[in-house]
C-alpha cells in the first residue's frame, strides 16, 4: 500500500523518470501525486496493484558509489544515482556489484597519472572510489593470488569510451607489472594504438573515431608476474565501409591520411580525397580538430617503432593507393546497340585509374581489365567466360577492394603481434576485450546481426557469472537461500544457432545456385516461426525480427547473402597475385602455407594456449582450398565459440561504458540515451539478479554504528555486536524473511534499509521533539521566573513609593 507522503518515481516522456510525492493514501485505483520539480498535481490510474510506481531511496543512499547498495533496486533508482554522481559530483565511475559502469565525460580528467596508479596499488575494490584502475588492480591481484588467467571485458556502443578504458587498463598493467626490460613492451603496445586506429577506425554519425572491429589483447606475464610480452586478436572488421559510407561518415582514417601526404609520394598518383569514389560518398571528409597529415606522420612513426621497415611501409601505402584507384575505374555499358553484349560492362582502354592500378601492382592491364568485366563459369562439360553487366562488375570490383583491405589489415595485425612477441616465457595472461556493444539502427543489416549475436553470447556468460557469484556469496556467508531465477539467453541463441536456425538457413540459401535474400527470409518465416524469439514484421517480406535481450531488432535482408558468402572472383585474385611490383600483395594473397614460410612476414608466435585463434579468421577471408570455403557466419560462430572458451577459462571482470549524450557535451546526461544503454549492456539485469535475493549487505560494525539508537542503552553489548544487531532487527522488522545473518554481514531484502532509515528518522524526529520540548520548557520557565522576579520588584517598589507618599 502506497501511503501519503511516500516518495515515488513516475514515468516521463523525455526524462524517462521524474520524482513525485504521494499526496493521499492510495485506495481505489487512482494515485494522486505532486511532481517535485513542477509542483503539478497529477492523477495516476492503477490498473494492476502489483505494478505501483517504484519507491525512491532515502537521501542517505543517493549518490552511492555501488548501485547494489541501494535499498530500492530498479531502473529509476539506478538512473538517478548515476546522474547525481556524473552531473553533480563529476564522478564518471560507479560500481554495480562486480561491474564498473564508466560514463564518457567528453573531458580530460586528471585522474590517470602515476600517483593515481600507485594509490590503487594494493587496494581492494571498494576501498577507494570506483575507477578503471581498481578493476585492473583486482585482475592483477587475482592473477598473483589465484594463478589463474584473467580477462577484462569492455563493452558499450560507439563513442562510449571503450577503447580509452581498455588503454588505461593496459597502462596500469604496464606500470605495476613492468620493469626496465618490459618498458619496451609497453612502448610497443602503446605504439600499436595509432596503427590500429588508422586502419580500423572511422568517423561515424555517433563517433569521430569509432573502432570498426573488435579486439582481444593479451598482456603476458612471466612466473614473477612481470610483463613478458603481448598479443592481439581482431575480429569482424567492417569491410563494407571500404567501398561505401553513409552520409556524414568517413572511410577508414588511413585513406585520408594518405591523401593528405600525397605530395610526399608522387609515385602513388594520389589526389585530393574528394576525387576518389571510395572517399567522397559520405560528404564529410574532415574531422574537427584532426590534422590528417600529422596523424599520417604518427602512423609512420608507430610503424617504425613496431619494426615495419620503410620498404614494407611503402608497399602497404601502395596497396592502399591501388584500392583507391580501383574504386575510380569506370565501368560502363557498351554504347554499340548492335552488340549482343550491349548490357555488358566495359572499361575504356585509356582509363587512367586502371593504368595506375596496374602500374602500382605491376600487373597486366589487359588481364585485369578482362577479369574486372568477365567471369569464368564452370559447367559439367565446359568452362564458359561471360561478360558481366555493370552492376555485377561493380560488385565484383568492390569485393576485390574489400578483400585487399581485409588482407592488409590481417597482415598489419601479424606485424603488431610479431613486434609484441618478446620470446620470453609466458606463464599467465590478462586479456582485455574491446568489443562492440548491442546495436540497433533504422536499417540493420548483416553486421548488426553478427554484433548482436556476439552480445547475446557475452550476455549469457555475464548473467551466469553474476548469478554464480551471487550464490557463492550466500554460501560463503552461510545463509539459507532459494534459487534465484535469472534471464537466460539460450532460447534466443538457439534461434540463431540451431540446425534450422538463422545461421544454418542463411548458409543453406548461400549454397543454392539461385539463392536470394528474399528466399532466405521466406525460409526464416517458414522454419523459425516456432521460436518465441522470432517475429515477422507487420508489413513486407524482406525483413525479420529477433527479440534480443536488450531490444527487438528488425533486420533488413538486403545484402545478407553477399556479405555471408564474401566471395571474390578467383580470376581477379590470380591477376593481382601475378603482379611483380608489390611483393606484399603476393604474400597477402598467397596460400597460408606460403605465407607462414615467408621470411619477410612470419606469423605471430603461437602460445601454449590459443583457444581464441579463430578470431583472426574474420579479418582474413577464407582462401580457396580443398573443400568448400566457410561462410562469414560460420567463421563468426566458430570464433565466438573460441572466444567464450577463452573467457570461461579466465576470471572475468566487466566494464560497461555509457555514452551520456549524442552532442559530446561535457557532463551532460541524456536519461533516455543512458537508460537504453543500461538495458543493453546488462547493468539492469545485474540489478534484477541482486534484487531477487538480498541486495543490501551491511557489515555488523557498520550496521551497529548506523542504527544503534534503535535499541535501548542497556541492550547494547559491545562485546557481541551481532547480538545487539539482532535485538535491533527483532524489535523493528517483524518478518524474519526480510533479513538474514551471515558470517560477517547482515543481508536484507529490497526495501528494508529504506524502512530502517525511516524508523531511524522518525525516532530521531521524536528525540529532537523531546529535546526541543525540554529546552523550550526550560527557556519558558526561566523566562517566567525572570518575569516574576521583575514583577515582584516592580510591585515592591510601587508599594514602597505609595507607603512613603
Amino acid at each position: 500500500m502506497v501511503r501519503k507522503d511516500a516518495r515515488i518515481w513516475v514515468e516521463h516522456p523525455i526524462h524517462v523518470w521524474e520524482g513525485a510525492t504521494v499526496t493521499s493514501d492510495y485506495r481505489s485505483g487512482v494515485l494522486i501525486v505532486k511532481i517535485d520539480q513542477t509542483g503539478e498535481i497529477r492523477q495516476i490510474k492503477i490498473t494492476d496493484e502489483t505494478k505501483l510506481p517504484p519507491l525512491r531511496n532515502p537521501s542517505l543512499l543517493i549518490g552511492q558509489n555501488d548501485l547494489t547498495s541501494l535499498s530500492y533496486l530498479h531502473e529509476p533508482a539506478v538512473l538517478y544515482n548515476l546522474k547525481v554522481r556524473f552531473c553533480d559530483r563529476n564522478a564518471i565511475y560507479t560500481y554495480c556489484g562486480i561491474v564498473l559502469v564508466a560514463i564518457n565525460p567528453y573531458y580530460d580528467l586528471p585522474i590517470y597519472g602515476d600517483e593515481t596508479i600507485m594509490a590503487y596499488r594494493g587496494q581492494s575494490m571498494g576501498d577507494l572510489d570506483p575507477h578503471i584502475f581498481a578493476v585492473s588492480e583486482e585482475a592483477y591481484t587475482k592473477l598473483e593470488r589465484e594463478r589463474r588467467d584473467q580477462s577484462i571485458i569492455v563493452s558499450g556502443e560507439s563513442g562510449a569510451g571503450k577503447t580509452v578504458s581498455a588503454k588505461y587498463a593496459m597502462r596500469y598493467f604496464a606500470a605495476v607489472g613492468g620493469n626496465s626490460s618490459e618498458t619496451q613492451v609497453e612502448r610497443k603496445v602503446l605504439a600499436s594504438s595509432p596503427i590500429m586506429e588508422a586502419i580500423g577506425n572511422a568517423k561515424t554519425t555517433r563517433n569521430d573515431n569509432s573502432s570498426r572491429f573488435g579486439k582481444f589483447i593479451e598482456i603476458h606475464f612471466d612466473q614473477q608476474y612481470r610483463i613478458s610480452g603481448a598479443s592481439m586478436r581482431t575480429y569482424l572488421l567492417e569491410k563494407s565501409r571500404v567501398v561505401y559510407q553513409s552520409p556524414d561518415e568517413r572511410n577508414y582514417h588511413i585513406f585520408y591520411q594518405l591523401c593528405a601526404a600525397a605530395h610526399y609520394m608522387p609515385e602513388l598518383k594520389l589526389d585530393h580525397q574528394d576525387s576518389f569514389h571510395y572517399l567522397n560518398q559520405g560528404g564529410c571528409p574532415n574531422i574537427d580538430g584532426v590534422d590528417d597529415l600529422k596523424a599520417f606522420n604518427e602512423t609512420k612513426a608507430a610503424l617504425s617503432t613496431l619494426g615495419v621497415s620503410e620498404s614494407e611501409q611503402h608497399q602497404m601505402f601502395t596497396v592502399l593507393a591501388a584500392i583507391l584507384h580501383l574504386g575510380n575505374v569506370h565501368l560502363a555499358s557498351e554504347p554499340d546497340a548492335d552488340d549482343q553484349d550491349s548490357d555488358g560492362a566495359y572499361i575504356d582502354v585509356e582509363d587512367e585509374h586502371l593504368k595506375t592500378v596496374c602500374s602500382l601492382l605491376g600487373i597486366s592491364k589487359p588481364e585485369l581489365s578482362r577479369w574486372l568485366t568477365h567471369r569464368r563459369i564452370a559447367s559439367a562439360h565446359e568452362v564458359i567466360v561471360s561478360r558481366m553487366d555493370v552492376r555485377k562488375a561493380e560488385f565484383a570490383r568492390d569485393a576485390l577492394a574489400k578483400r585487399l583491405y581485409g588482407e592488409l589489415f590481417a597482415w598489419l595485425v601479424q606485424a603488431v603481434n610479431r613486434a609484441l612477441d618478446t620470446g620470453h616465457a609466458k606463464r599467465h595472461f590478462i586479456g582485455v576485450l574491446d568489443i562492440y556493444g548491442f546495436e540497433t539502427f533504422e536499417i540493420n543489416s548483416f553486421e548488426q546481426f553478427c554484433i548482436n549475436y556476439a552480445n547475446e553470447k557475452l550476455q549469457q556468460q555475464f548473467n551466469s557469472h553474476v548469478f554464480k557469484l551471487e550464490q557463492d556469496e550466500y554460501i560463503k556467508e552461510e545463509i539459507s537461500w532459494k534459487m534465484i531465477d535469472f534471464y537466460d539467453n539460450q532460447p534466443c541463441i538457439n534461434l540463431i544457432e540451431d540446425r534450422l536456425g538463422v545461421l544454418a538457413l542463411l548458409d543453406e540459401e548461400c549454397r543454392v545456385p539461385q539463392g536470394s535474400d528474399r528466399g532466405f527470409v521466406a525460409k526464416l518465416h517458414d522454419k523459425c516461426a516456432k521460436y518465441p524469439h522470432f517475429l515477422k514484421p507487420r508489413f513486407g517480406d524482406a525483413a525479420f525480427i529477433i527479440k534480443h535481450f536488450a531490444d527487438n531488432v528488425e533486420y533488413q535482408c538486403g545484402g545478407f547473402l553477399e556479405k555471408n558468402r564474401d566471395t571474390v572472383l578467383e580470376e581477379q585474385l590470380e591477376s593481382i597475385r601475378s603482379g611483380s611490383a608489390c611483393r606484399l600483395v603476393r604474400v597477402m594473397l598467397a596460400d597460408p602455407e606460403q605465407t607462414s614460410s615467408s621470411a619477410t612476414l612470419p606469423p605471430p608466435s603461437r602460445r601454449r594456449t590459443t583457444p581464441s585463434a579463430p578470431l583472426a579468421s574474420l579479418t582474413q577471408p577464407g582462401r580457396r582450398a580443398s573443400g568448400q570455403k566457410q561462410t562469414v557466419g560460420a567463421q563468426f560462430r566458430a570464433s565466438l565459440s573460441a572466444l567464450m572458451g577463452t573467457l570461461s577459462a579466465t576470471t572475468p571482470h566487466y566494464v560497461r561504458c555509457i555514452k551520456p549524450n549524442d552532442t559530446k557535451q561535457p557532463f551532460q546526461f541524456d536519461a533516455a540515451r543512458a537508460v537504453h544503454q543500461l538495458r543493453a549492456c546488462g547493468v539492469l539485469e545485474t540489478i534484477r539478479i541482486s534484487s531477487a535475493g538480498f541486495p543490501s549487505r551491511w557489515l555488523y560494525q557498520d550496521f551497529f554504528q548506523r542504527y544503534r539508537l534503535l535499541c535501548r542503552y542497556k541492550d547494547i553489548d559491545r562485546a557481541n555486536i551481532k547480538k545487539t544487531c539482532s535485538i535491533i532487527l527483532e524489535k523493528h522488522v517483524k518478518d524474519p524473511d526480510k533479513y538474514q545473518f551471515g558470517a560477517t554481514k547482515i543481508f536484507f531484502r529490497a526495501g528494508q534499509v529504506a524502512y530502517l532509515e525511516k524508523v531511524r528518522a522518525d525516532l530521531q524526529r521524536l528525540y529532537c521533539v523531546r529535546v526541543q520540548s525540554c529546552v523550550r520548557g526550560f527557556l519558558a520557565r526561566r523566562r517566567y521566573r525572570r518575569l516574576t522576579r521583575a514583577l515582584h520588584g516592580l510591585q515592591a517598589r510601587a508599594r514602597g513609593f505609595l507607603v512613603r507618599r
Side-chain angles (χ1 to χ4, degrees), residues 507-519:
D507 285 353
E508 179 183 297
E509 190 67 13
C510 285
R511 290 191 293 268
V512 176
Q514 300 300 321
S516 66
D517 293 323
R518 287 183 178 270

Side-chain angles (χ1 to χ4, degrees), residues 260-475:
H263 61 284
Y264 293 114
M265 296 171 288
E267 68 277 7
L268 300 183
K269 298 183 179 180
L270 293 172
D271 200 348
H272 190 272
Q273 55 208 17
D274 290 345
S275 64
F276 291 103
H277 173 63
Y278 284 166
L279 303 184
N280 61 20
Q281 299 171 67
C284 190
N286 300 313
I287 301 176
D288 292 340
V290 174
D291 183 339
D292 285 319
L293 179 58
K294 180 181 177 182
F296 175 78
N297 293 328
E298 291 174 354
T299 302
K300 276 187 61 67
L303 287 167
S304 299
T305 299
L306 292 180
V308 180
S309 67
E310 286 292 330
S311 172
E312 289 174 329
Q313 290 183 39
H314 188 268
Q315 292 184 62
M316 167 186 160
F317 300 145
T318 299
V319 173
L320 291 169
I323 291 173
L324 291 180
H325 288 292
L326 185 63
N328 275 20
V329 172
H330 183 59
L331 295 160
S333 298
E334 173 61 41
D336 186 358
D338 295 332
D339 193 333
Q340 63 178 356
D341 287 332
S342 60
D343 290 335
Y346 286 83
I347 302 175
D348 192 307
V349 294
E350 298 300 322
D351 190 297
E352 289 298 326
H353 292 285
L354 178 65
K355 291 180 180 178
T356 303
V357 172
C358 296
S359 172
L360 289 174
L361 301 182
I363 57 182
S364 166
K365 184 163 73 73
E367 181 79 2
L368 181 60
S369 178
R370 173 180 173 81
W371 294 120
L372 284 176
T373 56
H374 292 72
R375 65 178 303 173
R376 184 183 290 131
I377 303 173
S379 65
H381 305 290
E382 59 181 337
V383 176
I384 302 172
V385 176
S386 68
R387 186 180 296 275
M388 296 182 284
D389 60 35
V390 172
R391 179 180 171 278
K392 289 182 178 179
E394 288 177 343
F395 172 75
R397 176 201 63 189
D398 292 347
L400 176 61
K402 291 188 290 185
R403 176 64 175 270
L404 287 172
Y405 194 82
E407 296 289 355
L408 181 64
F409 184 90
W411 173 79
L412 270 173
V413 171
Q414 284 189 329
V416 169
N417 282 331
R418 190 171 70 243
L420 295 178
D421 184 11
T422 62
H424 298 164
K426 308 175 184 68
R427 295 297 299 271
H428 304 284
F429 74 85
I430 298 178
V432 181
L433 178 65
D434 178 357
I435 189 171
Y436 298 101
F438 183 86
E439 286 190 355
T440 175
F441 301 102
E442 289 187 14
I443 297 178
N444 300 285
S445 189
F446 182 72
E447 290 86 357
Q448 279 69 48
F449 170 76
C450 290
I451 289 167
N452 293 344
Y453 167 41
N455 275 271
E456 286 286 354
K457 298 282 284 187
L458 288 166
Q459 185 66 22
Q460 183 186 49
Q461 188 270 346
F462 170 74
N463 284 353
S464 61
H465 184 69
V466 172
F467 173 78
K468 179 178 181 297
L469 288 181
E470 190 79 5
Q471 309 303 329
D472 289 347
E473 176 78 358
Y474 296 157
I475 294 172

Side-chain angles (χ1 to χ4, degrees), residues 426-623:
K426 308 175 184 68
R427 295 297 299 271
H428 304 284
F429 74 85
I430 298 178
V432 181
L433 178 65
D434 178 357
I435 189 171
Y436 298 101
F438 183 86
E439 286 190 355
T440 175
F441 301 102
E442 289 187 14
I443 297 178
N444 300 285
S445 189
F446 182 72
E447 290 86 357
Q448 279 69 48
F449 170 76
C450 290
I451 289 167
N452 293 344
Y453 167 41
N455 275 271
E456 286 286 354
K457 298 282 284 187
L458 288 166
Q459 185 66 22
Q460 183 186 49
Q461 188 270 346
F462 170 74
N463 284 353
S464 61
H465 184 69
V466 172
F467 173 78
K468 179 178 181 297
L469 288 181
E470 190 79 5
Q471 309 303 329
D472 289 347
E473 176 78 358
Y474 296 157
I475 294 172
K476 183 180 72 173
E477 290 288 329
E478 301 173 355
I479 69 171
S480 59
W481 51 276
K482 295 179 181 178
M483 186 64 70
I484 298 173
D485 182 31
F486 70 100
Y487 178 79
D488 189 1
N489 307 56
Q490 194 57 48
C492 186
I493 293 172
N494 290 341
L495 165 64
I496 298 171
E497 294 184 342
D498 272 359
R499 190 171 59 87
L500 291 177
V502 176
L503 286 176
L505 293 176
L506 178 60
D507 285 353
E508 179 183 297
E509 190 67 13
C510 285
R511 290 191 293 268
V512 176
Q514 300 300 321
S516 66
D517 293 323
R518 287 183 178 270
F520 161 60
V521 174
K523 287 183 178 180
L524 288 180
H525 289 174
D526 179 44
K527 303 292 186 183
C528 296
K530 62 182 179 180
Y531 290 94
H533 287 260
F534 182 85
L535 293 174
K536 296 180 181 179
R538 293 181 61 186
F539 305 104
D541 57 354
F544 61 96
I545 298 173
I546 293 181
K547 297 167 64 176
H548 290 287
F549 71 95
D551 201 358
N552 294 352
V553 181
E554 180 174 326
Y555 298 100
Q556 283 69 34
C557 68
F560 259 69
L561 265 65
E562 294 173 355
K563 293 173 181 177
N564 189 48
R565 289 189 183 117
D566 194 30
T567 53
V568 180
L569 295 180
E570 186 64 25
E571 295 74 31
Q572 292 182 351
L573 292 179
E574 288 297 336
S575 296
I576 299 296
R577 288 193 193 106
S578 66
S580 59
C582 187
R583 184 172 183 273
L584 175 59
V585 172
R586 299 197 303 277
V587 172
M588 292 190 320
L589 298 179
D591 292 333
E593 291 79 8
Q594 297 173 0
T595 304
S596 62
S597 63
S598 167
T600 307
L601 297 165
S605 63
R606 291 189 174 133
R607 298 182 61 250
R608 57 180 179 82
T609 55
T610 56
S612 55
L615 292 176
S617 66
L618 287 178
T619 58
Q620 302 180 49
R623 302 177 175 90

Side-chain angles (χ1 to χ4, degrees), residues 632-651:
V632 171
Q635 293 176 57
F636 191 53
R637 178 177 178 177
S639 72
L640 273 183
S641 178
L643 174 62
M644 301 314 296
T646 298
L647 297 179
S648 298
T650 66
T651 299

Side-chain angles (χ1 to χ4, degrees), residues 102-342:
I103 305 179
N104 192 342
Y106 295 113
Y107 185 83
D108 290 331
L109 295 172
I111 58 172
Y112 301 106
D114 293 339
E115 302 84 359
T116 309
I117 290 177
M118 291 301 104
Y120 279 87
R121 184 70 182 109
Q123 301 292 326
S124 299
M125 280 185 66
D127 291 350
L128 299 175
D129 289 339
H131 201 289
I132 185 65
F133 291 162
V135 176
S136 305
E137 170 63 21
E138 180 78 1
Y140 187 75
T141 300
K142 284 197 171 187
L143 181 74
E144 291 180 306
R145 185 171 59 240
E146 301 175 5
R147 299 181 181 180
R148 176 182 168 90
D149 294 339
Q150 308 286 308
S151 60
I152 297 178
I153 302 171
V154 185
S155 65
E157 70 171 45
S158 179
K162 300 186 299 295
T163 302
V164 173
S165 293
K167 180 177 71 174
Y168 283 129
M170 290 186 289
R171 178 179 293 178
Y172 187 87
F173 299 137
V176 301
N179 55 34
S180 57
S181 63
E182 269 77 57
T183 54
Q184 185 72 5
V185 177
E186 177 190 0
R187 189 168 65 89
K188 290 182 177 181
V189 169
L190 295 178
S192 68
S193 292
I195 297 173
M196 301 310 297
E197 287 185 9
I199 65 170
N201 288 23
K203 180 185 185 298
T204 68
T205 55
R206 295 186 176 183
N207 184 7
D208 289 344
N209 190 32
S210 174
S211 298
R212 307 316 300 162
F213 68 104
K215 59 179 176 287
F216 186 67
I217 300 174
E218 293 182 3
I219 309 296
H220 304 149
F221 297 87
D222 60 19
Q223 195 166 2
Q224 285 74 42
Y225 304 102
R226 295 174 303 187
I227 289 180
S228 61
S231 65
M232 176 190 302
R233 306 183 190 281
T234 61
Y235 56 98
L236 201 62
L237 176 70
E238 187 187 30
K239 291 187 294 183
S240 60
R241 180 170 294 272
V242 175
V243 300
Y244 172 76
Q245 305 89 46
S246 299
D248 297 326
E249 296 194 349
R250 291 208 323 176
N251 206 322
Y252 291 104
H253 297 325
I254 188 64
F255 288 119
Y256 302 89
Q257 295 177 12
L258 205 59
C259 288
H263 61 284
Y264 293 114
M265 296 171 288
E267 68 277 7
L268 300 183
K269 298 183 179 180
L270 293 172
D271 200 348
H272 190 272
Q273 55 208 17
D274 290 345
S275 64
F276 291 103
H277 173 63
Y278 284 166
L279 303 184
N280 61 20
Q281 299 171 67
C284 190
N286 300 313
I287 301 176
D288 292 340
V290 174
D291 183 339
D292 285 319
L293 179 58
K294 180 181 177 182
F296 175 78
N297 293 328
E298 291 174 354
T299 302
K300 276 187 61 67
L303 287 167
S304 299
T305 299
L306 292 180
V308 180
S309 67
E310 286 292 330
S311 172
E312 289 174 329
Q313 290 183 39
H314 188 268
Q315 292 184 62
M316 167 186 160
F317 300 145
T318 299
V319 173
L320 291 169
I323 291 173
L324 291 180
H325 288 292
L326 185 63
N328 275 20
V329 172
H330 183 59
L331 295 160
S333 298
E334 173 61 41
D336 186 358
D338 295 332
D339 193 333
Q340 63 178 356
D341 287 332
S342 60

